Every structure is written in structure tokens, then in C-alpha cells.
Amino acid sequence: MKQISYFYSAENESEINLEIWKMFMNQSEDERKIHLDFTGIVFDIQLGEVGKVDLPERVQMLIDKNGMKALPILVVNGAVYN
């Protein structure tokens, strides 16, 4: 399973980008099955608005070091990308 977390700042995030992430999150069971059959990957996506959710330590460290310009930050199976 792919665990995907996307951390963002509401002030700097585009509405379109958030809608795309929400579309992935809200896929029906049929759509998820088609994706699994085609790719062999099951995924779980979580969106996290900074300031409203608890942040993983590595994400918090990036924000502490670089400020809000570090966002957005993507975490996939524990690997952090920004």
C-alpha cells in the first residue's frame, strides 16, 4: 500500500491543486479496483493543512528550517519530498 500525505498552506495553495488531490481521495471503490488491477498499487491519501493537523517530525523540521516556503510537502511511505 502507498501511504501518501500532502501538507500545504491554505494561503499559498491553489484551489485547483486541492481539488485534484480531493478527487484522488474520493475515488469510488470501483475506481480504486480499476487502479489496483491496472497498477497493482493500493493507495491511501491524506491532506493536511499546516496549522490544523499534527505534522510528522521530518515535515516539521523542514518547516522550522525553511519556513512556509518549504510547502507543499509530499510524504510517500515515509519518504519526504518538497
Side-chain angles (χ1 to χ4, degrees):
M1 173 181 283
K2 295 272 184 189
Q3 289 288 115
I4 302 167
S5 298
Y6 183 78
F7 298 97
Y8 66 95
S9 165
E11 293 104 33
N12 298 329
E13 190 64 41
S14 77
E15 230 176 276
I16 293 171
N17 198 32
L18 281 179
E19 286 304 314
I20 291 169
W21 279 104
K22 288 176 184 176
M23 182 195 71
F24 286 127
M25 288 176 57
N26 295 325
Q27 284 186 334
S28 71
E29 287 301 314
D30 289 339
E31 291 170 318
R32 287 180 180 266
K33 180 168 179 0
I34 290 168
H35 183 269
L36 173 63
D37 290 347
F38 185 71
T39 66
I41 299 170
V42 175
F43 62 89
D44 179 49
I45 298 174
Q46 302 294 317
L47 295 181
E49 183 178 340
V50 173
K52 293 189 176 182
V53 297
D54 292 329
L55 300 175
E57 184 178 340
R58 291 176 65 196
V59 171
Q60 186 65 57
M61 286 173 42
L62 275 172
I63 293 172
D64 290 345
K65 181 179 177 183
N66 301 307
M68 296 301 265
K69 68 181 180 181
L71 299 172
I73 297 173
L74 183 67
V75 180
V76 180
N77 289 348
V80 178
Y81 304 91
N82 73 324

